[in-house]
Amino acid sequence: NTVATVDGLMVAGNAASDDLVIHGLIVTKEFLADPVLPGSEVVLRFTLVNISPAAATILIFRDALDPEVLPGMAATVLPTLPCGPGSALVAVDRPGSPGEELSLTGASLAAAGSPGDSCTFDVTLLVPAATPSDTYTNTTGLILALIGTDVVIPENAIDNLTVSNELLFLTKEFTD
């Protein structure tokens, strides 16, 4: 209860309460098995997790590959139905740019804690043969989700890809 003094008199009020509903979508990405050699393929893994008590529909999901990551990078293998029935992932030319971007459509995620509240998919990318040794940062583009009746914009996912012309692998093994 709340208590206040109003015009010199003590006044008691009713307790105030409300429910706080958090709508959210977490998006992560990771280049698997890097560093990589120029001219080789690398797998980029995306994970989307609905942390909201309502189902989520992904309205827009974009991730630019070129030139934001490195010039000439292109998708070579895309998953079918990356986030369940009705979803599709395509690589499209970006308007006004020479590069490609990944575009996810038709994805939906169940409410948090339910089966289907997350999805993970892999994209195989070709690193151009003329890529100089360096570390390249990839940040997801615009992502919008409709959760319940709210439009949610999650934080961008970021990962670095290291390309090296001088990969040296050392293995060590103890045998009997």
Side-chain angles (χ1 to χ4, degrees), residues 14 20 25 43 56 62 64 84 88 101 108 115-118 121-122 126 134 144 150 153 164:
N14 294 328
L20 173 64
L25 182 69
V43 174
R62 295 208 171 103
E101 75 179 5
S108 60
D117 67 351
S118 67
F121 56 91
D122 295 342
L126 178 62
D134 205 346
L144 290 175
D150 297 325
I153 302 171
S164 177

Side-chain angles (χ1 to χ4, degrees), residues 5 58 76 80 85 114 165:
T5 303
I58 310 303
T76 58
T80 56
S114 303
N165 290 313

Side-chain angles (χ1 to χ4, degrees), residues 13-164:
N14 294 328
S17 69
D18 199 359
D19 294 327
L20 173 64
V21 178
I22 297 176
H23 288 304
L25 182 69
I26 298 172
V27 180
T28 60
K29 69 185 333 178
E30 178 184 10
F31 287 100
L32 304 180
D34 71 310
V36 297
L37 290 167
S40 63
E41 291 184 329
V42 64
V43 174
L44 177 56
R45 174 168 290 162
F46 292 93
T47 302
L48 288 76
V49 180
N50 182 7
I51 60 170
S52 172
T57 302
I58 310 303
L59 302 175
I60 298 173
F61 175 102
R62 295 208 171 103
D63 190 38
L65 300 176
D66 171 4
E68 275 72 12
V69 181
L70 55 97
M73 179 175 263
T76 58
V77 178
L78 297 170
T80 56
L81 305 176
C83 288
S87 67
L89 183 71
V90 296
V92 296
D93 291 332
R94 294 180 344 148
S97 173
E100 279 188 346
E101 75 179 5
L102 301 174
S103 177
L104 176 67
T105 59
S108 60
L109 301 172
S114 303
D117 67 351
S118 67
C119 72
T120 299
F121 56 91
D122 295 342
V123 178
T124 303
L125 305 170
L126 178 62
V127 177
T131 302
S133 293
D134 205 346
T135 298
Y136 300 88
T137 300
N138 179 246
T139 304
T140 52
L142 180 63
I143 301 172
L144 290 175
L146 183 63
I147 300 178
T149 58
D150 297 325
V151 174
V152 175
I153 302 171
E155 288 189 30
N156 291 335
I158 301 171
D159 197 29
N160 294 321
L161 172 65
T162 302
V163 178
S164 177

